[in-house]
Amino acid sequence: MTLTPAKIVLFFGVIVVLLNPPMVLGLLGPEGRRMGNIIEEGLGTDTMRIALFGRR
């Protein structure tokens, strides 16, 4: 399997979205931010980020 630049960008894009969904999806507007919060609560990254960096 060859790693094309598009695959590399897609991989890092997915990582960024999974780390902070409300911020990234919030760029799409309030509906995106709401969906980001739902994804974040489902993944549990909200509690991990609060534990690492403090309050939101």
Side-chain angles (χ1 to χ4, degrees):
M1 182 174 103
T2 60
L3 289 177
T4 62
K7 287 181 184 177
I8 294 170
V9 169
L10 180 66
F11 173 76
F12 285 114
V14 168
I15 295 295
V16 168
V17 169
L18 290 178
L19 288 177
N20 198 348
M23 182 186 75
V24 175
L25 296 177
L27 297 173
L28 302 175
E31 197 65 33
R33 184 162 178 81
R34 189 175 316 138
M35 288 305 297
N37 285 329
I38 292 170
I39 293 170
E40 185 176 51
E41 289 172 7
L43 291 174
T45 56
D46 56 341
T47 55
M48 178 192 69
R49 190 170 59 248
I50 290 171
L52 289 174
F53 304 115
R55 300 299 294 165
R56 286 188 197 195

